[in-house]
Amino acid sequence: GAVVSQHPSRVICKSGTSVKIECRSLDFQATTMFWYRQFPKKSLMLMATSNEGSKATYEQGVEKDKFLINHASLTLSTLTVTSAHPEDSSFYICSAIKGHTEAFFGQGTRLTVV
Amino acid sequence: AQTVTQSQPEMSVQEAETVTLSCTYDTSESDYYLFWYKQPPSRQMILVIRQEAYKQQNATENRFSVNFQKAAKSFSLKISDSQLGDAAMYFCAYRREDTASKLTFGTGTRLQVTL
């Protein structure tokens, strides 16, 4: 099946710094990718839709200046958590749709802000 | 807006037995997709099964099958011959037909498999 690679899998950063998470579709082109956030024992909450070559579409309540999304190519989307704070600590997951129907997910990134 | 509801936060099944996980959804669309995803402790999301709304026949994938009732907006997952490796969080998800549409997830059901 298709592979979506997310990097890093774990990151610890100091409060006030920025962290970049990469999401790559390894064997297919993805004009649209999605970024989710998942709190412990909770469901996936969509943060934003990443569109290749254009601005991301953010869900209500998600700060676009806080969570910067760049989709510069058909195989790469990045999420940058700017000026991270402990409350940004979470599990972040990306996904990309291959073909018409199936979404493939990255392995997720566990972000801890200390 | 579309919503997906999973009313069973936790379920338990004995190994080799059968269990059914419930899911209901709400939409005004006529064409859409429904999915069941499995999230094991590794937290990697794995597609279990997919159903196209226009298909009347229920999807099956080996030990996994669904009961899709379009009029009732119900989409349950049946796991037969349960195995220890089936223990995980299971999420029901909905997506509109257009390619760029997002997935809407239910709150999940944690499945335990006992010996």
Side-chain angles (χ1 to χ4, degrees), chain A residues 12-71:
Chain A
I12 301 173
C13 71
K14 291 185 177 181
S15 187
T17 62
S18 295
V19 174
K20 181 185 285 187
I21 303 169
E22 292 187 347
C23 180
R24 294 181 184 274
S25 56
L26 297 185
D27 56 356
F28 66 100
Q29 293 183 332
T31 56
T32 304
M33 292 185 177
F34 302 91
W35 288 95
Y36 296 86
R37 182 173 180 174
Q38 186 178 30
F39 292 101
K41 299 184 179 181
K42 298 292 184 182
S43 187
L44 280 71
M45 180 190 76
L46 181 67
M47 299 175 65
T49 302
S50 174
N51 305 299
E52 189 269 334
S54 64
K55 291 183 179 180
T57 305
Y58 289 83
E59 295 298 301
Q60 193 172 10
V62 177
E63 299 176 61
K64 61 181 180 181
D65 295 330
K66 173 77 169 173
F67 300 98
L68 299 179
I69 291 172
N70 185 287
H71 195 151

